[in-house]
Amino acid sequence: MGVVPLAVSVRGPGGVGTATDAAAAEEAPLRPGPAYWVAGADGGVFAYGRAAYAGSTSGAALRSPVAGIVNTPTGDGYWLAASDGGVFAFGDAPYLGGAAGIDLNNPIVDIAATPSGHGYWLAASDGGVFAFGDAAWRGGVAGAALNSPVTAVVATPSGDGYWLAARDGGVFAFGDARWLGGAAGIDLTKPVIDMAATPSGDGYWLAASDGGVFAFGDAGFSGSALGQAANGSVVGVAPTPSGHGYWLASHDGGVFAYGDAGFYGSAADFHLAHAVVAIASGIGNAIPTAGRGLASTFGWDISWPQCDRPLPGGRHGYAVVGVTDGHLWDINPCLAQQHRWSTRGGALGGLYVNVNWPSAAAEPAVAGQMADVCALEDKGCQMYQWGYRGVARAVGAATALDVTAPMWWLDVETANRWSGDKGLNAAIVRGAIDALEKRAIKVGIYSTWHQWGVIVGDFAPGKPNWVAGPANVEEAAAACAGGPGFAGGVPWIVQYPYQGFDANLMCDAGVAAALDSFKVPPPPPVPQLPPPPVVVIHLLGGLRAV
């Protein structure tokens, strides 16, 4: 029998493709992708990437705080472990028992699962290990004279062993887990709080609460959060599916991505009632849902006074950001940053611009500046152009920063400078309206009944109202239901003070038009794992792909 000469080549994701291949790829179902979950002490769970949200214990009356989370192999479920040994199963995670009925000497600090998804281990701070389902008990350090309490348990890829990590960086290996080093001999600035293993089982990372990362075996060092986790200490580390990167999570909900880890979101903007305590990662099939609607009638407005200061916490359905620096013709130096913040978490983003009479220093030059279109004695033309050109400049500056919204609000209030001539004041506002509408931007008016009348009299452009003045949310609700607004418009949003910021309630008219009036953030990314390599065998007489 003759020997058939052949050669083998491998085509991976970077291989040569054809138009037909590309079309087929677009029609092919989505491949699984990287996923991560973070869990709070109250059992709240936040899912990112291709992670499925399957439920939580948030709102339940837990006897003890949650200490750890681990996901199932499919990514369609997970377990939460509480410090009293209670285990809570969600999605396709089976409940296989817990240690809540055991008289524990020390609290449970972590949970790890077998690769089958049919077993898990609980680890206590004294190094005690409790095995459930098909998880085999391979040993522990309970009763040993530990220098520091245990903080983490991590399973080997086979499920036939596990590691324990202690606060001083000590690592203990059981079953088929190999000891590859530890940080116990290092003068740590902060304690080790978590551990993660590479997919091969031949390496692992230790993470300290200050964001320091220590790599052992085939685990690569891809960076740390030292000096980055400014708002919270690091509480966990989780590996990417490839093992070429990892995520760190901080107790304020922040997530830091390193190596080939993608950033798919975090809970850092939500002003969590309970600290994040753990992070888990794996592969999932869930499709991230975009915040394509108004999630809440509660929102914020911010501008230059909040530059370089903490922004409001908590979830919001929308936020309106000031484009100007308190006055027409001046631009908010924090505009781009604040606009990005406004749409975090799927919230809707809006914009407003201050309008006002020229300052005492600027007023003498206005006639000359507008002389290209206005006669020197035509004050009405000059003020119209002042409003028109000032807003046009604001739109240009915002657009250059990729700051856009389908509707802008004009801030008309007595705190800014105005003349005693209501007709000339109205000319400024009319010019500002025309500047926006010429650029296909819808217009709303921020003011009060009283201030609007003081500034522009009976000028009634018939634009939606953003009403200021109520002292609390109850008064805001009454203003929403109070009938017609000022300037011939109706209330869409009502502002009131809350927690040191300007909060807002969106009225029914605003809710109905929200998606056409606010910037809707793009859908979140749908990460996918790279396709498997194609092995092409070169045979005499043709090619064969296997």
Side-chain angles (χ1 to χ4, degrees):
M1 181 177 179
V3 177
V4 179
L6 59 86
V8 177
S9 62
V10 178
R11 297 178 183 172
V16 177
T18 66
T20 303
D21 295 333
E26 290 182 1
E27 297 175 359
L30 289 173
R31 298 182 300 275
Y36 58 84
W37 300 257
V38 295
D42 63 344
V45 176
F46 302 86
Y48 300 98
R50 302 296 297 281
Y53 174 76
S56 76
T57 59
S58 179
L62 297 180
R63 293 187 301 176
S64 296
V66 165
I69 181 173
V70 65
N71 53 285
T72 61
T74 65
D76 293 330
Y78 40 81
W79 296 271
L80 298 175
S83 61
D84 65 354
V87 174
F88 307 91
F90 300 91
D92 66 352
Y95 175 76
L96 301 165
I102 300 174
D103 186 15
L104 298 173
N105 294 320
N106 288 274
I108 296 298
V109 294
D110 202 9
I111 182 172
T114 60
S116 69
H118 298 298
Y120 46 79
W121 298 269
L122 300 178
S125 63
D126 63 354
V129 177
F130 305 87
F132 302 90
D134 65 2
W137 187 82
R138 300 299 186 189
V141 290
L146 297 177
N147 294 322
S148 295
V150 165
T151 57
V153 59
V154 177
T156 61
S158 69
D160 290 330
Y162 44 83
W163 295 272
L164 299 177
R167 282 173 60 90
D168 64 355
V171 174
F172 308 91
F174 301 92
D176 66 351
R178 295 199 299 138
W179 189 83
L180 301 164
I186 300 174
D187 186 15
L188 298 173
T189 304
K190 295 291 183 179
V192 166
I193 43 76
D194 202 12
M195 180 181 190
T198 60
S200 68
D202 294 325
Y204 46 75
W205 299 270
L206 299 177
S209 64
D210 61 359
V213 175
F214 306 89
F216 302 90
D218 67 358
F221 176 77
S222 298
S224 75
L226 286 170
Q228 298 179 34
N231 296 322
S233 60
V234 167
V235 297
V237 58
T240 61
S242 69
H244 298 308
Y246 43 83
W247 294 276
L248 297 177
S250 61
H251 84 261
D252 66 344
V255 173
F256 307 86
Y258 302 93
D260 67 351
F263 176 77
Y264 308 122
S266 78
D269 293 327
F270 296 152
H271 191 65
L272 302 173
H274 299 272
V276 163
V277 295
I279 183 172
S281 66
I283 295 172
N285 295 283
I287 305 301
T289 57
R292 309 305 291 173
L294 182 67
S296 169
T297 57
F298 175 82
W300 302 104
D301 66 269
I302 59 171
S303 189
W304 61 273
Q306 285 75 45
C307 286
D308 301 320
R309 296 181 183 180
L311 297 177
R315 295 177 183 268
H316 57 270
Y318 57 97
V320 190
V321 175
V323 175
T324 43
D325 197 5
H327 305 281
L328 189 60
W329 293 84
D330 296 327
I331 303 302
N332 175 5
C334 305
L335 175 58
Q337 170 200 354
Q338 292 179 349
H339 182 63
R340 287 193 298 270
W341 168 86
S342 72
T343 57
R344 291 294 295 270
L348 307 185
L351 298 171
Y352 77 87
V353 58
N354 299 95
V355 290
N356 53 269
W357 189 265
S359 67
E363 186 174 356
V366 171
Q369 292 169 348
M370 310 305 169
D372 58 327
V373 294
C374 299
L376 290 177
E377 67 278 4
D378 192 345
K379 200 74 169 178
C381 175
Q382 294 163 10
M383 290 302 107
Y384 174 89
Q385 290 297 326
W386 168 264
Y388 186 99
R389 296 184 186 187
V391 169
R393 180 178 183 273
V395 173
T399 302
L401 296 171
D402 195 29
V403 173
T404 61
M407 180 176 183
W408 284 34
W409 298 87
L410 301 180
D411 184 332
V412 182
E413 55 182 302
T414 54
N416 262 323
R417 187 173 190 253
W418 293 97
S419 79
D421 189 321
K422 297 178 181 180
L424 291 179
N425 294 340
I428 294 175
V429 177
R430 186 181 296 110
I433 292 172
D434 289 350
L436 291 172
E437 292 185 337
K438 184 174 181 179
R439 289 158 178 79
I441 299 173
K442 300 173 185 176
V443 184
I445 305 291
Y446 169 91
S447 194
T448 69
W449 266 104
H450 173 72
Q451 293 185 58
W452 182 259
V454 168
I455 296 169
V456 298
D458 59 1
F459 176 49
K463 303 301 180 184
N465 291 176
W466 179 5
V467 181
N472 50 51
V473 68
E474 290 79 15
E475 291 185 11
C480 275
F486 52 82
V490 297
W492 278 26
I493 307 174
V494 181
Q495 182 191 72
Y496 62 96
Y498 182 62
Q499 295 182 345
F501 296 97
D502 289 331
N504 294 275
L505 176 67
M506 188 173 290
C507 310
D508 289 345
V511 171
L515 295 184
D516 296 323
S517 307
F518 287 80
K519 181 175 182 177
V520 179
V526 184
Q528 298 183 71
L529 296 177
V534 177
V535 178
V536 180
I537 301 177
H538 301 264
L539 301 169
L540 291 180
L543 300 177
R544 181 181 179 189
V546 296

PDB file of all heavy atoms in Angstrom, residues 40-44 56-67 80-84 86-88 90 274 277:
ATOM      1  N   GLY A  40     -22.437  41.051  45.751  1.00  0.00           N
ATOM      2  CA  GLY A  40     -22.371  41.902  46.924  1.00  0.00           C
ATOM      3  C   GLY A  40     -22.628  41.118  48.195  1.00  0.00           C
ATOM      4  O   GLY A  40     -23.103  39.976  48.173  1.00  0.00           O
ATOM      5  N   ALA A  41     -22.333  41.740  49.315  1.00  0.00           N
ATOM      6  CA  ALA A  41     -22.515  41.077  50.602  1.00  0.00           C
ATOM      7  C   ALA A  41     -23.973  40.731  50.863  1.00  0.00           C
ATOM      8  O   ALA A  41     -24.270  39.807  51.630  1.00  0.00           O
ATOM      9  CB  ALA A  41     -21.980  41.969  51.715  1.00  0.00           C
ATOM     10  N   ASP A  42     -24.889  41.465  50.234  1.00  0.00           N
ATOM     11  CA  ASP A  42     -26.312  41.169  50.405  1.00  0.00           C
ATOM     12  C   ASP A  42     -26.814  40.120  49.422  1.00  0.00           C
ATOM     13  O   ASP A  42     -27.998  39.795  49.402  1.00  0.00           O
ATOM     14  CB  ASP A  42     -27.144  42.437  50.242  1.00  0.00           C
ATOM     15  CG  ASP A  42     -27.030  43.045  48.847  1.00  0.00           C
ATOM     16  OD1 ASP A  42     -26.091  42.682  48.105  1.00  0.00           O
ATOM     17  OD2 ASP A  42     -27.877  43.892  48.499  1.00  0.00           O
ATOM     18  N   GLY A  43     -25.909  39.590  48.603  1.00  0.00           N
ATOM     19  CA  GLY A  43     -26.302  38.604  47.606  1.00  0.00           C
ATOM     20  C   GLY A  43     -26.742  39.198  46.299  1.00  0.00           C
ATOM     21  O   GLY A  43     -27.205  38.476  45.404  1.00  0.00           O
ATOM     22  N   GLY A  44     -26.598  40.516  46.142  1.00  0.00           N
ATOM     23  CA  GLY A  44     -26.858  41.121  44.842  1.00  0.00           C
ATOM     24  C   GLY A  44     -25.842  40.645  43.823  1.00  0.00           C
ATOM     25  O   GLY A  44     -24.663  40.485  44.145  1.00  0.00           O
ATOM     26  N   SER A  56     -30.793  36.577  42.568  1.00  0.00           N
ATOM     27  CA  SER A  56     -29.937  36.983  43.678  1.00  0.00           C
ATOM     28  C   SER A  56     -30.714  36.871  44.977  1.00  0.00           C
ATOM     29  O   SER A  56     -31.916  36.597  44.976  1.00  0.00           O
ATOM     30  CB  SER A  56     -29.458  38.420  43.479  1.00  0.00           C
ATOM     31  OG  SER A  56     -30.499  39.342  43.772  1.00  0.00           O
ATOM     32  N   THR A  57     -30.012  37.108  46.076  1.00  0.00           N
ATOM     33  CA  THR A  57     -30.670  37.148  47.383  1.00  0.00           C
ATOM     34  C   THR A  57     -30.822  38.579  47.876  1.00  0.00           C
ATOM     35  O   THR A  57     -31.183  38.798  49.029  1.00  0.00           O
ATOM     36  CB  THR A  57     -29.876  36.341  48.428  1.00  0.00           C
ATOM     37  OG1 THR A  57     -28.557  36.895  48.542  1.00  0.00           O
ATOM     38  CG2 THR A  57     -29.780  34.881  48.033  1.00  0.00           C
ATOM     39  N   SER A  58     -30.553  39.545  47.017  1.00  0.00           N
ATOM     40  CA  SER A  58     -30.715  40.939  47.407  1.00  0.00           C
ATOM     41  C   SER A  58     -32.162  41.191  47.814  1.00  0.00           C
ATOM     42  O   SER A  58     -33.093  40.831  47.097  1.00  0.00           O
ATOM     43  CB  SER A  58     -30.326  41.856  46.243  1.00  0.00           C
ATOM     44  OG  SER A  58     -30.482  43.201  46.584  1.00  0.00           O
ATOM     45  N   GLY A  59     -32.346  41.776  48.956  1.00  0.00           N
ATOM     46  CA  GLY A  59     -33.690  42.014  49.465  1.00  0.00           C
ATOM     47  C   GLY A  59     -34.176  40.939  50.412  1.00  0.00           C
ATOM     48  O   GLY A  59     -35.159  41.136  51.120  1.00  0.00           O
ATOM     49  N   ALA A  60     -33.495  39.797  50.421  1.00  0.00           N
ATOM     50  CA  ALA A  60     -33.859  38.737  51.353  1.00  0.00           C
ATOM     51  C   ALA A  60     -33.227  39.018  52.715  1.00  0.00           C
ATOM     52  O   ALA A  60     -32.214  39.698  52.820  1.00  0.00           O
ATOM     53  CB  ALA A  60     -33.394  37.376  50.829  1.00  0.00           C
ATOM     54  N   ALA A  61     -33.811  38.473  53.741  1.00  0.00           N
ATOM     55  CA  ALA A  61     -33.303  38.668  55.103  1.00  0.00           C
ATOM     56  C   ALA A  61     -32.268  37.592  55.403  1.00  0.00           C
ATOM     57  O   ALA A  61     -32.550  36.584  56.064  1.00  0.00           O
ATOM     58  CB  ALA A  61     -34.445  38.625  56.105  1.00  0.00           C
ATOM     59  N   LEU A  62     -31.051  37.799  54.912  1.00  0.00           N
ATOM     60  CA  LEU A  62     -29.987  36.826  55.136  1.00  0.00           C
ATOM     61  C   LEU A  62     -29.520  36.865  56.589  1.00  0.00           C
ATOM     62  O   LEU A  62     -29.382  37.938  57.183  1.00  0.00           O
ATOM     63  CB  LEU A  62     -28.799  37.122  54.213  1.00  0.00           C
ATOM     64  CG  LEU A  62     -29.035  37.018  52.706  1.00  0.00           C
ATOM     65  CD1 LEU A  62     -27.749  37.357  51.961  1.00  0.00           C
ATOM     66  CD2 LEU A  62     -29.524  35.631  52.327  1.00  0.00           C
ATOM     67  N   ARG A  63     -29.231  35.706  57.130  1.00  0.00           N
ATOM     68  CA  ARG A  63     -28.715  35.649  58.490  1.00  0.00           C
ATOM     69  C   ARG A  63     -27.243  36.049  58.543  1.00  0.00           C
ATOM     70  O   ARG A  63     -26.765  36.541  59.559  1.00  0.00           O
ATOM     71  CB  ARG A  63     -28.883  34.242  59.052  1.00  0.00           C
ATOM     72  CG  ARG A  63     -30.338  33.836  59.270  1.00  0.00           C
ATOM     73  CD  ARG A  63     -30.430  32.512  59.979  1.00  0.00           C
ATOM     74  NE  ARG A  63     -29.762  31.438  59.234  1.00  0.00           N
ATOM     75  CZ  ARG A  63     -29.636  30.192  59.678  1.00  0.00           C
ATOM     76  NH1 ARG A  63     -30.098  29.874  60.872  1.00  0.00           N
ATOM     77  NH2 ARG A  63     -29.040  29.273  58.938  1.00  0.00           N
ATOM     78  N   SER A  64     -26.536  35.828  57.433  1.00  0.00           N
ATOM     79  CA  SER A  64     -25.118  36.160  57.360  1.00  0.00           C
ATOM     80  C   SER A  64     -24.818  36.695  55.972  1.00  0.00           C
ATOM     81  O   SER A  64     -25.495  36.333  55.003  1.00  0.00           O
ATOM     82  CB  SER A  64     -24.254  34.921  57.630  1.00  0.00           C
ATOM     83  OG  SER A  64     -24.455  34.446  58.945  1.00  0.00           O
ATOM     84  N   PRO A  65     -23.806  37.524  55.855  1.00  0.00           N
ATOM     85  CA  PRO A  65     -23.493  38.092  54.534  1.00  0.00           C
ATOM     86  C   PRO A  65     -22.928  37.061  53.580  1.00  0.00           C
ATOM     87  O   PRO A  65     -22.343  36.053  53.988  1.00  0.00           O
ATOM     88  CB  PRO A  65     -22.447  39.166  54.856  1.00  0.00           C
ATOM     89  CG  PRO A  65     -21.824  38.717  56.141  1.00  0.00           C
ATOM     90  CD  PRO A  65     -22.923  38.065  56.910  1.00  0.00           C
ATOM     91  N   VAL A  66     -23.127  37.319  52.298  1.00  0.00           N
ATOM     92  CA  VAL A  66     -22.537  36.472  51.259  1.00  0.00           C
ATOM     93  C   VAL A  66     -21.028  36.690  51.239  1.00  0.00           C
ATOM     94  O   VAL A  66     -20.535  37.815  51.422  1.00  0.00           O
ATOM     95  CB  VAL A  66     -23.162  36.798  49.887  1.00  0.00           C
ATOM     96  CG1 VAL A  66     -22.345  36.235  48.735  1.00  0.00           C
ATOM     97  CG2 VAL A  66     -24.591  36.265  49.843  1.00  0.00           C
ATOM     98  N   ALA A  67     -20.291  35.610  51.015  1.00  0.00           N
ATOM     99  CA  ALA A  67     -18.828  35.674  51.031  1.00  0.00           C
ATOM    100  C   ALA A  67     -18.199  35.298  49.699  1.00  0.00           C
ATOM    101  O   ALA A  67     -17.055  35.665  49.429  1.00  0.00           O
ATOM    102  CB  ALA A  67     -18.279  34.747  52.121  1.00  0.00           C
ATOM    103  N   LEU A  80     -24.107  31.157  45.359  1.00  0.00           N
ATOM    104  CA  LEU A  80     -23.624  32.113  46.336  1.00  0.00           C
ATOM    105  C   LEU A  80     -23.419  31.377  47.653  1.00  0.00           C
ATOM    106  O   LEU A  80     -24.241  30.526  48.024  1.00  0.00           O
ATOM    107  CB  LEU A  80     -24.628  33.249  46.557  1.00  0.00           C
ATOM    108  CG  LEU A  80     -24.970  34.135  45.359  1.00  0.00           C
ATOM    109  CD1 LEU A  80     -26.066  35.124  45.756  1.00  0.00           C
ATOM    110  CD2 LEU A  80     -23.745  34.871  44.874  1.00  0.00           C
ATOM    111  N   ALA A  81     -22.337  31.695  48.334  1.00  0.00           N
ATOM    112  CA  ALA A  81     -22.076  31.095  49.639  1.00  0.00           C
ATOM    113  C   ALA A  81     -22.039  32.186  50.686  1.00  0.00           C
ATOM    114  O   ALA A  81     -21.376  33.221  50.499  1.00  0.00           O
ATOM    115  CB  ALA A  81     -20.749  30.340  49.628  1.00  0.00           C
ATOM    116  N   ALA A  82     -22.764  31.981  51.779  1.00  0.00           N
ATOM    117  CA  ALA A  82     -22.780  32.938  52.877  1.00  0.00           C
ATOM    118  C   ALA A  82     -21.789  32.522  53.952  1.00  0.00           C
ATOM    119  O   ALA A  82     -21.366  31.361  54.021  1.00  0.00           O
ATOM    120  CB  ALA A  82     -24.183  33.048  53.456  1.00  0.00           C
ATOM    121  N   SER A  83     -21.432  33.452  54.807  1.00  0.00           N
ATOM    122  CA  SER A  83     -20.404  33.170  55.807  1.00  0.00           C
ATOM    123  C   SER A  83     -20.860  32.151  56.855  1.00  0.00           C
ATOM    124  O   SER A  83     -20.035  31.545  57.529  1.00  0.00           O
ATOM    125  CB  SER A  83     -19.972  34.468  56.495  1.00  0.00           C
ATOM    126  OG  SER A  83     -21.062  35.071  57.168  1.00  0.00           O
ATOM    127  N   ASP A  84     -22.172  31.933  56.990  1.00  0.00           N
ATOM    128  CA  ASP A  84     -22.654  30.912  57.918  1.00  0.00           C
ATOM    129  C   ASP A  84     -22.742  29.537  57.273  1.00  0.00           C
ATOM    130  O   ASP A  84     -23.229  28.587  57.897  1.00  0.00           O
ATOM    131  CB  ASP A  84     -24.003  31.307  58.497  1.00  0.00           C
ATOM    132  CG  ASP A  84     -25.116  31.374  57.447  1.00  0.00           C
ATOM    133  OD1 ASP A  84     -24.817  31.220  56.245  1.00  0.00           O
ATOM    134  OD2 ASP A  84     -26.285  31.599  57.830  1.00  0.00           O
ATOM    135  N   GLY A  86     -24.443  28.872  54.437  1.00  0.00           N
ATOM    136  CA  GLY A  86     -25.594  28.773  53.552  1.00  0.00           C
ATOM    137  C   GLY A  86     -25.185  28.859  52.096  1.00  0.00           C
ATOM    138  O   GLY A  86     -24.261  29.605  51.746  1.00  0.00           O
ATOM    139  N   VAL A  87     -25.836  28.085  51.242  1.00  0.00           N
ATOM    140  CA  VAL A  87     -25.561  28.074  49.801  1.00  0.00           C
ATOM    141  C   VAL A  87     -26.866  28.367  49.073  1.00  0.00           C
ATOM    142  O   VAL A  87     -27.912  27.776  49.384  1.00  0.00           O
ATOM    143  CB  VAL A  87     -24.976  26.727  49.344  1.00  0.00           C
ATOM    144  CG1 VAL A  87     -24.829  26.692  47.820  1.00  0.00           C
ATOM    145  CG2 VAL A  87     -23.627  26.473  50.010  1.00  0.00           C
ATOM    146  N   PHE A  88     -26.797  29.254  48.101  1.00  0.00           N
ATOM    147  CA  PHE A  88     -27.974  29.644  47.326  1.00  0.00           C
ATOM    148  C   PHE A  88     -27.675  29.378  45.857  1.00  0.00           C
ATOM    149  O   PHE A  88     -26.662  29.855  45.328  1.00  0.00           O
ATOM    150  CB  PHE A  88     -28.285  31.123  47.556  1.00  0.00           C
ATOM    151  CG  PHE A  88     -28.414  31.478  49.017  1.00  0.00           C
ATOM    152  CD1 PHE A  88     -27.309  31.910  49.739  1.00  0.00           C
ATOM    153  CD2 PHE A  88     -29.630  31.358  49.672  1.00  0.00           C
ATOM    154  CE1 PHE A  88     -27.414  32.230  51.084  1.00  0.00           C
ATOM    155  CE2 PHE A  88     -29.749  31.673  51.009  1.00  0.00           C
ATOM    156  CZ  PHE A  88     -28.637  32.104  51.725  1.00  0.00           C
ATOM    157  N   PHE A  90     -28.725  29.314  41.740  1.00  0.00           N
ATOM    158  CA  PHE A  90     -29.521  30.046  40.762  1.00  0.00           C
ATOM    159  C   PHE A  90     -29.249  29.507  39.357  1.00  0.00           C
ATOM    160  O   PHE A  90     -28.153  29.013  39.064  1.00  0.00           O
ATOM    161  CB  PHE A  90     -29.179  31.540  40.812  1.00  0.00           C
ATOM    162  CG  PHE A  90     -29.440  32.174  42.149  1.00  0.00           C
ATOM    163  CD1 PHE A  90     -28.442  32.229  43.109  1.00  0.00           C
ATOM    164  CD2 PHE A  90     -30.690  32.689  42.451  1.00  0.00           C
ATOM    165  CE1 PHE A  90     -28.679  32.810  44.348  1.00  0.00           C
ATOM    166  CE2 PHE A  90     -30.942  33.270  43.693  1.00  0.00           C
ATOM    167  CZ  PHE A  90     -29.931  33.326  44.638  1.00  0.00           C
ATOM    168  N   HIS A 274     -24.549  47.698  49.601  1.00  0.00           N
ATOM    169  CA  HIS A 274     -23.683  46.706  50.235  1.00  0.00           C
ATOM    170  C   HIS A 274     -22.460  46.491  49.358  1.00  0.00           C
ATOM    171  O   HIS A 274     -22.562  46.462  48.130  1.00  0.00           O
ATOM    172  CB  HIS A 274     -24.429  45.389  50.440  1.00  0.00           C
ATOM    173  CG  HIS A 274     -25.628  45.505  51.330  1.00  0.00           C
ATOM    174  ND1 HIS A 274     -25.557  45.374  52.699  1.00  0.00           N
ATOM    175  CD2 HIS A 274     -26.922  45.781  51.044  1.00  0.00           C
ATOM    176  CE1 HIS A 274     -26.757  45.547  53.215  1.00  0.00           C
ATOM    177  NE2 HIS A 274     -27.612  45.794  52.236  1.00  0.00           N
ATOM    178  N   VAL A 277     -18.180  41.665  47.265  1.00  0.00           N
ATOM    179  CA  VAL A 277     -17.301  40.793  48.041  1.00  0.00           C
ATOM    180  C   VAL A 277     -16.571  39.771  47.185  1.00  0.00           C
ATOM    181  O   VAL A 277     -15.586  39.172  47.653  1.00  0.00           O
ATOM    182  CB  VAL A 277     -18.083  40.052  49.147  1.00  0.00           C
ATOM    183  CG1 VAL A 277     -18.621  41.049  50.172  1.00  0.00           C
ATOM    184  CG2 VAL A 277     -19.225  39.222  48.568  1.00  0.00           C
TER     185      VAL A 277
END
